[in-house]
């Protein structure tokens, strides 16, 4: 479904990615793990159009989307839940969700999606009229995911959904990620520092180090890999 | 009237975080469009007034969008100072081109709304003041509805908070910014017409003083904050009127800047503004 080939990205003179290649099959959960600054977020930002790649191809459903502006990529139902959640703190929960459905003009579909989001995250329903800035970190993460779901995505990229969230909620959110994948049939590319959790729920994994993919395999195999264990799974 | 101009500053600042100094000249252009459109209508009636105003608002909305497209968009990712200086350049350009096209001599502004006087007890209210009040309140109400209740308004607030996250929602940030400029400029045009209607003499430099005063009003209320702009404008208007009636009347135009200095010293975020730490 998504095929990244030899992706290069630089920020000014600093090279962030040196030829990253990866592929994601429809219906699967694929994870991208690696330490801080390895280029995980940059990879997602390049796919979603927030940064322009210097070279390489991003094939999504057979078409090269590299270099397209972000809003056009959203129109292809490829959604990015950014790191740090980036909910609109000045808007209410409901307004945030409506922004997620920005490109959707059919009111019936919006209503149906809203119901689905509230069913997945009942907490958001309780907080519907509240300003998003007053939510806890975990609730904001739910909102960020819910907001992305409002656009009825086929492909969802999530950047560090566990970042800065109470451990108890992390578990809930990861359960929801699996649920979104299974019941809604949404393909997921997950970037995560918590490699343990990420490899547990994903089918396939890539290990990124200083802008290059150094390892890739079935997640179950990666979990047993001695290098991965010592570097990312705490022995 | 200050409120209408102040809103334009505040709208643009809210979305782009920069002061559009050319705004006061869009106000002037609005008055001139009204001047030419006003000569086209046969007699003063409420309908003709509304038509003149709509023409000017549309014309200035287009002008605002073009200014953004040509002058500010290419500088989107440059430093704030670059854009600010460009804005001053655009302002001077409009003033001088205005003098070339319209001539530098003041011109009488036609009566676009019918004039009448009402007496309520001992109070004499001219229909001019009423028109100004009604149009201003109407537009403020419409703006509030637009920003708070509609999809494009919500998108404006989203872009204002975080343009990158907004683009990840499928919002075309450039469209929203164009829309904001168009909206702010339309409000400047409405203010220009009202101003020219109240003080019926217009020239290409007429925007400078009201523009600066309205800018102070926007800062006073808290720049980027819509109710703040209205409140700041009301305060400045009332204070100026009192000063004009007192024996310090020659200080009328200075008083706004005294207020600006005071507000920047003691409450830099403005009356209704929240102080946000600037990211460096």
């Amino acid at each position: 479904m998504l095929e990244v080939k030899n992706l290069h990205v630089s920020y000014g003179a600093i090279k962030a990615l040196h030829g990253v290649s990866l592929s994601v099959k429809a219906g699967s959960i694929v994870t991208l793990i690696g330490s801080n600054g390895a280029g995980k977020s940059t990879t997602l930002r390049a796919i979603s159009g927030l940064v322009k790649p210097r070279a390489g191809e991003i094939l999504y459903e057979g078409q090269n989307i590299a270099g397209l502006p972000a809003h056009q990529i959203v129109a292809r139902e490829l959604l990015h839940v950014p790191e740090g959640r980036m909910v609109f703190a000045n808007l209410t929960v409901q307004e945030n969700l409506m922004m997620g459905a920005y490109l959707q003009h059919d009111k019936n579909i919006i209503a149906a999606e809203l119901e689905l989001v509230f069913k997945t995250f009942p907490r958001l329903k309780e907080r519907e009229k509240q300003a998003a800035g007053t939510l806890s970190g975990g609730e904001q993460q739910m909102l960020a995911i819910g907001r992305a779901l409002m656009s009825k995505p086929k492909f969802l990229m999530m950047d560090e959904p566990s970042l800065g969230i109470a451990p108890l909620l992390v578990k809930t959110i990861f359960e929801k990620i699996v649920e979104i994948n299974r019941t809604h049939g949404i393909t997921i590319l997950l970037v995560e520092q918590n490699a343990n959790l990420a490899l547990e729920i994903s089918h396939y994994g890539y290990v990124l180090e200083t802008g290059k993919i150094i390892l890739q395999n079935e997640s179950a195999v990666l979990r047993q890999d001695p290098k991965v264990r010592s570097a990312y799974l705490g022995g | 009237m200050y409120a209408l101009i102040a809103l334009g500053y505040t709208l643009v600042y809210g979305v782009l975080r920069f002061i559009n100094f050319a705004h006061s000249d869009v106000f002037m252009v609005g008055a001139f469009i009204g001047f030419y459109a006003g000569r086209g209508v046969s007699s003063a009636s409420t309908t003709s007034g509304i038509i003149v105003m709509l023409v000017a608002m549309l014309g200035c909305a287009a002008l605002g969008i073009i200014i953004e497209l040509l002058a500010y968009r290419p500088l989107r990712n440059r430093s704030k100072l670059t854009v600010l200086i460009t804005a001053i350049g655009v302002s001077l350009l409009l003033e001088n081109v205005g003098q070339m096209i319209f001539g530098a001599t003041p011109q009488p502004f036609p009566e676009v709304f019918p004039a009448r006087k009402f007496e309520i007890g001992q109070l004499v209210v001219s229909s001019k003041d009423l028109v100004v009040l009604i149009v201003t309140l109407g537009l403020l109400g419409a703006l509030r509805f637009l920003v708070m209740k509609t999809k494009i308004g919500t998108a404006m607030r989203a872009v204002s908070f975080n343009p990158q996250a907004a683009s990840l929602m499928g919002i075309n940030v450039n469209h929203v910014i164009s829309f904001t400029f168009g909206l702010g400029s339309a409000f400047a045009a409405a203010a220009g017409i009202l101003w020219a209607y109240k003080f019926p003499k217009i020239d290409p430099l007429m925007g400078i003083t009201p523009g600066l005063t309205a800018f102070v009003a926007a800062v006073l209320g808290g720049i980027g904050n819509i109710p703040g702009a209205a409140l700041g404008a009301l305060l400045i208007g009332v204070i100026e009127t009192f000063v004009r009636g007192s024996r310090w009347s020659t200080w009328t135009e200075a008083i706004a800047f005294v207020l600006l200095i005071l507000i920047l010293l003691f409450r830099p975020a403005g009356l209704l503004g929240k102080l946000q730490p600037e990211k460096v």
Side-chain angles (χ1 to χ4, degrees):
Chain A
M1 187 172 199
L2 180 80
E3 182 99 38
V4 175
K5 286 182 188 161
N6 195 26
L7 189 66
H8 288 259
V9 174
S10 319
Y11 294 110
I14 302 155
K15 278 190 175 176
L17 298 183
H18 321 261
V20 168
S21 299
L22 56 85
S23 78
V24 181
K25 278 203 202 96
S28 63
I29 302 183
V30 171
T31 187
L32 191 57
I33 58 177
S35 54
N36 255 335
K40 303 180 306 262
S41 295
T42 304
T43 308
L44 295 196
R45 291 166 65 84
I47 298 173
S48 67
L50 288 180
V51 293
K52 285 213 174 4
R54 210 164 46 83
E57 279 188 327
I58 302 167
L59 297 173
Y60 175 68
E61 294 184 314
Q63 281 176 312
N64 190 7
I65 57 166
L68 286 182
H71 63 93
Q72 284 182 21
I73 289 173
V74 176
R76 292 166 190 244
E77 299 168 336
L78 194 170
L79 263 282
H80 178 186
V81 181
E83 186 176 0
R85 306 179 281 271
M86 292 197 191
V87 296
F88 303 115
N90 55 338
L91 269 54
T92 66
V93 168
Q94 200 234 358
E95 285 171 336
N96 265 280
L97 292 173
M98 284 305 145
M99 283 295 102
Y102 189 77
L103 294 177
Q104 182 59 258
H105 296 290
D106 188 331
K107 285 213 170 90
N108 297 325
I109 296 180
I110 294 179
E113 287 303 306
L114 191 65
E115 199 175 315
L116 213 77
V117 168
F118 283 151
K119 219 172 97 192
T120 315
F121 301 111
R123 191 78 69 86
L124 294 180
K125 173 102 186 135
E126 294 163 27
R127 306 251 188 269
E128 199 178 349
K129 300 281 173 218
Q130 234 167 290
T134 63
L135 302 183
S136 76
E139 289 164 347
Q140 288 190 15
Q141 186 63 55
M142 294 178 192
L143 179 56
I145 297 172
R147 189 175 61 175
L149 288 179
M150 286 299 292
S151 68
K152 234 172 177 296
K154 282 189 259 177
F155 192 110
L156 200 54
M157 301 193 291
M158 291 191 227
D159 198 347
E160 304 274 5
S162 74
L163 196 74
I165 289 172
L168 208 68
L169 272 177
V170 170
K171 214 170 149 255
T172 319
I173 284 175
F174 272 74
E175 281 164 12
K176 295 297 178 190
I177 295 174
V178 174
E179 184 187 319
I180 288 164
N181 172 252
R182 290 227 182 102
T183 57
H184 306 228
I186 297 172
T187 312
I188 291 175
L189 176 57
L190 174 70
V191 157
E192 188 51 65
Q193 280 210 42
N194 189 335
N196 236 330
L197 261 177
L199 289 175
E200 209 171 288
I201 67 162
S202 60
H203 305 110
Y204 201 85
Y206 290 87
V207 181
L208 197 62
E209 213 173 88
T210 54
K212 280 196 200 103
I213 301 280
I214 53 155
L215 261 179
Q216 64 175 79
N217 214 324
E218 307 272 325
S219 298
V221 180
L222 279 183
R223 285 172 75 188
Q224 303 306 324
D225 188 294
K227 266 192 287 180
V228 175
R229 288 183 72 92
S230 67
Y232 303 107
L233 300 178
Chain B
M1 270 187 289
Y2 286 145
L4 292 179
I5 315 175
L7 279 171
Y9 282 111
T10 253
L11 278 173
V12 167
Y13 183 85
V15 172
L16 281 183
R17 304 265 171 256
F18 99 98
I19 307 290
N20 179 16
F21 277 112
H23 193 63
S24 56
D25 302 295
V26 174
F27 162 89
M28 172 274 291
V29 173
F32 270 96
I33 296 179
F35 171 72
Y36 290 112
R39 290 204 300 205
V41 298
S42 47
S43 63
S45 69
T46 314
T47 339
S48 70
I50 290 172
I51 290 172
V52 166
M53 189 162 273
L54 285 180
V55 169
M57 286 174 82
L58 284 177
C60 282
L63 176 68
I65 290 170
I66 292 169
I67 292 176
E68 193 273 330
L69 196 68
L70 295 182
Y72 303 144
R73 185 165 302 177
L75 303 171
R76 186 74 54 75
N77 296 319
R78 303 292 184 78
S79 80
K80 300 263 161 65
L81 193 63
T82 316
V83 192
L84 204 68
I85 292 169
T86 308
I88 296 172
V90 173
S91 166
L92 290 173
L93 179 77
L94 285 177
E95 280 163 21
N96 288 294
V97 170
Q99 289 186 344
M100 255 172 62
I101 298 175
F102 309 131
T105 41
Q107 316 237 27
F109 193 77
E111 291 275 319
V112 285
F113 288 98
R116 229 175 284 146
K117 283 210 186 322
F118 302 96
E119 284 181 38
I120 309 163
Q122 292 192 312
L123 217 65
V124 181
V125 184
S126 86
S127 62
K128 284 198 172 182
D129 292 327
L130 271 181
V131 166
V132 170
L133 186 72
I134 290 169
V135 172
T136 304
L137 287 180
L139 286 174
L140 289 182
L143 181 71
R144 186 161 173 82
F145 175 80
L146 183 84
V147 171
M148 300 309 290
K149 300 280 177 224
T150 65
K151 193 166 166 179
I152 181 81
T154 316
M156 278 167 67
R157 285 182 288 145
V159 170
S160 150
F161 187 76
N162 187 336
Q164 230 174 42
S167 71
L168 289 180
M169 303 292 101
I171 297 173
N172 186 335
V173 175
N174 280 335
H175 285 176
V176 173
I177 288 173
S178 291
F179 181 80
T180 309
F181 264 87
L183 189 66
S185 303
F187 272 70
I193 300 275
L194 291 179
W195 189 274
Y197 169 67
K198 184 94 200 291
F199 312 106
K201 231 180 202 154
I202 59 172
D203 67 87
L205 300 182
M206 66 180 278
I208 298 174
T209 311
L212 279 175
T213 312
F215 168 63
V216 175
V219 174
L220 179 68
I223 190 128
N225 181 315
I226 291 169
L231 176 71
L234 183 68
L235 278 177
I236 295 248
V238 169
I239 292 169
E240 277 199 346
T241 311
F242 270 108
V243 173
R244 190 171 285 127
S246 73
R247 57 201 173 94
W248 295 287
S249 62
T250 43
W251 286 76
T252 307
E253 277 166 9
I255 194 74
F257 301 101
V258 175
L259 277 172
L260 178 65
I261 293 168
L262 289 178
I263 200 84
L264 288 178
L265 280 176
F266 296 109
R267 202 174 152 76
L271 294 175
L272 297 185
K274 271 185 243 121
L275 203 54
Q276 288 163 351
E278 186 88 8
K279 272 187 220 152
V280 194

